[in-house]
Amino acid sequence: MTTYAELQAQIKKLQEQAEQVKAKELETVVADIKKKISEYGLTAEQLGFSSATGKTSKKAATKESTVMYKKGDQTWSGATRGRKPDWVKEILEAGGDIEEYRVK
């Protein structure tokens, strides 16, 4: 029969192993999240995070939602709501990469 002390020692050992596995997996998880954020142009606000001060001015919020893609005079904010502009659809349907048009 296993004693209480032996079970506690096993729990401690398993918790240490779990932390080691978590640390190894964390690098992969963070890299994947960063890739998705970059691919989709996500903002902290879209992900449910507030600014460092907890307050975002209307001017800053508007700036974050301004144009992200531009082709000549045509622009697109990259917003997920509503239809994509025809010029964006044409690029994507032709197998192009919309990221080439991202405003830096």
Side-chain angles (χ1 to χ4, degrees):
M1 182 167 171
T2 306
T3 66
Y4 177 77
E6 291 170 333
L7 288 173
Q8 289 298 321
Q10 289 176 0
I11 289 170
K12 184 177 179 183
K13 185 176 178 181
L14 287 171
Q15 286 176 328
E16 289 171 0
Q17 288 176 346
E19 287 300 317
Q20 290 172 354
V21 170
K22 181 181 177 182
K24 287 180 185 177
E25 291 177 358
L26 194 58
E27 289 178 24
T28 304
V29 170
V30 170
D32 185 48
I33 291 169
K34 285 181 177 181
K35 180 181 174 190
K36 298 274 188 219
I37 288 170
S38 178
E39 281 179 16
Y40 293 94
L42 299 173
T43 65
E45 184 178 61
Q46 288 174 311
L47 295 171
F49 301 115
S50 61
S51 66
T53 61
K55 297 179 182 178
T56 303
S57 69
K58 286 184 180 182
K59 187 174 183 179
T62 303
K63 187 173 183 179
E64 284 183 16
S65 64
T66 57
V67 175
M68 293 170 40
Y69 301 94
K70 185 172 184 173
K71 180 182 176 188
D73 293 341
Q74 300 170 318
T75 58
W76 179 49
S77 68
T80 57
R81 288 180 271 149
R83 297 179 345 144
K84 289 183 177 94
D86 289 338
W87 69 271
V88 173
K89 287 182 195 175
E90 290 171 8
I91 291 169
L92 296 174
E93 287 170 0
D97 183 10
I98 192 64
E99 291 303 313
E100 293 176 19
Y101 300 90
R102 180 183 280 276
V103 176
K104 308 236 186 237

